[in-house]
Amino acid sequence: MRFLGTLLLALALAGPARAGSLEALGLRPLIAETARELAIEVRPVARPANALPDGHPALGSGVIAEVWLTEPTERYGHAVLGDGIEAGGLLVRLAGGEERSLSLPEHQVFEDLQPRLADLDGDGNPEILVVRASQSSGAVLTAYGLVDGELQLIAKGPERLTAFRWLNPVGVADFDGDGVLEVAYVETPHIGGVLRILSLDDGALRQEAEAYGFSNHFIGSRALGLSAILDVDADGLPEILLPDTRRQALRVMGFVDGELRERAIYQIDGRIVGDFRLEDLDANGLDGVVVPLDGDRELRLYR
């Protein structure tokens, strides 16, 4: 019994494995004043007449050239993105100039500002990822695509939410190196956000892993990009960088052997407030990460 008690005490003191430092992953943090000049690549596009007023297109280089959120509507009334106007439709412009469109039923909207393109099934043609919401089931991640030349719903994620509960995508990557693209998003980022990893499987976006304690958005903000995907330790597997629930710490998460694991955490004096940017900060050929903070500051992570 004495041996057992000693063993239990040792385990209690040890606790769970702790995350390492940013420096151990190869990131050098520096907090500085916000840079006044940003390098932005602009591709000229013709905005559809019925485009979502504050929406942005997804731009492709294959059969799909552009994807727009369209048909502005106030029929949902959540206003989590700063106003009560959401999109009721989707417009795809093909590389040859033709267009395909889709309108949602009256009880649904796209509660999003920008679609995303990713070839989830590996067939060479991208799927369109967009957050859809409804009065009956809140937000759900959906994948649309061209089927026999027509724009259709291909798959959707778990419908576990209720009306006015939202999720914010992080991005798409092969996080675990199995050759299949996974999708990451934060569910309910304003109330105990859950990071979820999903992949396309037999006509559905199915969950592979989850972890708690994240927020990549704050209510009323148009900034949806409070996250980054980057192979920070050059091991061939990309990590996910995103804020904790209070946006006062940066967490670095890896997805290995079917589990999300915290690789590092960095406490911040202040809050994370804006879209992350990947940028070669010291001209060494490696992307670093710029994290906007309050007080007109930014956290720069050099590699």
Side-chain angles (χ1 to χ4, degrees), residues 250-269:
L250 179 71
R251 300 181 67 182
V252 182
M253 304 297 294
F255 179 46
V256 181
D257 297 330
E259 294 184 359
L260 278 163
R261 302 174 184 171
E262 187 173 79
R263 301 290 311 281
I265 186 167
Y266 183 79
Q267 300 294 329
I268 294 169
D269 179 18

Side-chain angles (χ1 to χ4, degrees), residues 224-237:
L224 305 187
L226 277 66
S227 60
I229 297 172
L230 183 67
D231 182 5
V232 297
D233 57 359
D235 67 348
L237 299 179

Side-chain angles (χ1 to χ4, degrees), residues 4-51:
L4 179 59
T6 303
L7 176 60
L8 292 175
L9 177 60
L11 290 174
L13 291 175
R18 295 192 176 187
S21 66
L22 292 181
E23 290 86 352
L25 285 181
L27 292 172
R28 294 172 287 123
L30 172 69
I31 293 181
E33 292 184 1
T34 300
R36 298 305 173 187
E37 294 184 5
L38 302 178
I40 300 176
E41 183 178 347
V42 178
R43 173 169 139 185
V45 293
R47 190 176 187 86
N50 65 340

Side-chain angles (χ1 to χ4, degrees), residues 22 27 241-244 247-252 262 264-268 272 276 289 291 299 301:
L22 292 181
L27 292 172
L241 295 81
L242 71 172
D244 71 346
R247 293 182 287 111
Q248 292 181 312
L250 179 71
R251 300 181 67 182
V252 182
E262 187 173 79
I265 186 167
Y266 183 79
Q267 300 294 329
I268 294 169
I272 298 171
F276 292 17
V289 184
V291 179
L299 168 63
L301 303 175

Side-chain angles (χ1 to χ4, degrees), residues 20 26 37 45 52 59 64 72 81 113 118 121 130 141 144 176 182 198-199 206 222 245 250-251 266 269 291-292:
E37 294 184 5
V45 293
L52 188 69
L59 302 179
I64 294 179
L81 303 181
L113 293 179
D121 56 10
V130 60
L141 186 65
Y144 290 80
D176 57 1
E182 290 92 20
L198 299 87
S199 61
R206 303 188 190 279
R222 294 289 204 276
T245 51
L250 179 71
R251 300 181 67 182
Y266 183 79
D269 179 18
V291 179

